[in-house]
Amino acid sequence: MTDTADSTPLSGDRHPAHGRIAAFFDLDKTVIARSSTYVFSKPFFAQGLINRRAVLESSYAHFMFLLAGADHDQMERMRANLTNMVAGWDVAQIQSIVAETLHELVDPLIYAEAVDLIADHKIRGHDVVIVSASGEEVVAPIAEALGATHTAATRMEVVDGKYTGAVDFYCYGEGKVTAIEKLAATEGYDLSRCYAYSDSVTDLPMLAAVGHPTAVNPDRNLRREATARGWP
C-alpha cells in the first residue's frame, strides 16, 4: 500500500474531550489489494452460483477497477449487474462460502501497512469501521478478521432467506456519509476528530465528512482533489 498518511498525528487522543474517535476505512484497494466482491467469484462459480461468462466479466471489471479506479457510472453498472446476478441466491449459502474461503482468499491480499494502521488506531483507543459498497455478507467477515469495531456495507433485500435483487441500502458515495453519520449519532463520534482512508474519488463525500482524511493508493481524480485540499 502506498501514499498513506504519517500516523504520528494520531497521538494524544486516547481520551477525547469532545466525543469519541473512529477511523473509517474503505475496503477495496485501501485495505485489500482487490475488489472484495471479485475475490469470491471463483468459489461462487464452483458452487454453481455464477457461470463462466460472469467470472470473465467480473475479471474484466476488476482489471478496469485496478487500472483506473471506479467512477460513478462504473459503480452504477456494477451495482445493476450485481443485483441482477444475486436475485434468488440463498443467503446462508453465501455466508458459508465466504466463511470457508475467507482466510485462503483474502488474507494474502491485505496490505501490511493497513494492518499496522488499524492496530495504531486501536492502541490509541479509536474505534475502527470498515465502510464498503460491497455486500455486508462479504464485508462483515473481512472486517471481523481485521478486528474492526463496526461495519457499514451495502444491504440487499432478503425474503425467505433469499436475495430478491433489490437493495435496502447502497453504501456508496453519499450513502457512506449517511452510514458514518448514523454511527456517529449512536456511538458518540465527533466526526471533526475522526479519520477516513480511501483510494477512490467516489469516496470524496466520506473523506470530506471527517477532520482527518487521507488518500490511500489514490486514483488520478482523488489525487488531484487531495492535493488541492491539502490532504495527505
Side-chain angles (χ1 to χ4, degrees):
M1 186 172 73
T2 59
D3 301 317
T4 58
D6 183 346
S7 60
T8 53
L10 301 180
S11 60
D13 45 24
R14 179 186 290 275
H15 303 291
H18 306 291
R20 301 177 61 222
I21 296 174
F24 301 97
F25 287 82
D26 172 52
L27 183 59
D28 301 347
K29 288 186 69 182
T30 302
V31 175
I32 65 175
R34 295 183 182 177
S35 160
S36 50
T37 301
Y38 165 76
V39 168
F40 294 98
S41 60
K42 289 185 178 179
F44 289 166
F45 172 72
Q47 292 282 333
L49 293 170
I50 58 178
N51 57 31
R52 188 173 300 276
R53 178 180 177 181
V55 173
L56 292 173
E57 287 177 348
S58 67
S59 298
Y60 175 75
H62 175 65
F63 171 75
M64 295 303 295
F65 174 71
L66 288 177
L67 187 65
D71 61 21
H72 176 75
D73 290 341
Q74 287 171 322
M75 289 296 293
E76 286 299 316
R77 286 196 297 270
M78 283 190 275
R79 178 178 73 154
N81 290 337
L82 180 64
T83 55
N84 290 335
M85 183 172 61
V86 305
W89 285 9
D90 184 86
V91 177
Q93 183 182 10
I94 300 304
Q95 292 171 334
S96 176
I97 293 171
V98 173
E100 290 172 2
T101 60
L102 176 67
H103 293 292
E104 173 190 353
L105 297 178
V106 176
D107 285 3
L109 303 176
I110 299 172
Y111 289 118
E113 297 93 335
V115 173
D116 291 343
L117 190 55
I118 288 170
D120 201 14
H121 279 290
K122 292 175 71 176
I123 287 170
R124 285 167 170 75
H126 304 169
D127 283 0
V128 171
V129 184
I130 302 297
V131 187
S132 176
S134 294
E136 61 182 358
E137 288 79 13
V138 169
V139 177
I142 297 175
E144 183 179 1
L146 291 165
T149 317
H150 300 289
T151 302
T154 295
R155 295 191 307 272
M156 303 293 293
E157 182 183 66
V158 176
V159 175
D160 296 330
K162 297 183 184 298
Y163 298 113
T164 66
V167 178
D168 278 339
F169 173 69
Y170 190 28
C171 194
Y172 164 75
E174 291 292 345
K176 288 191 175 184
V177 178
T178 299
I180 68 174
E181 287 179 343
K182 182 177 180 180
L183 273 172
T186 58
E187 300 296 328
Y189 300 143
D190 180 351
L191 290 180
S192 71
R193 305 181 71 219
C194 289
Y195 298 77
Y197 304 89
S198 178
D199 69 288
S200 175
V201 73
T202 62
D203 282 338
L204 198 58
M206 179 178 77
L207 292 168
V210 301
H212 303 283
T214 297
V216 178
N217 299 325
D219 60 35
R220 186 182 301 107
N221 290 329
L222 179 57
R223 182 182 294 276
R224 186 184 304 117
E225 285 286 344
T227 300
R229 296 172 187 237
W231 294 346

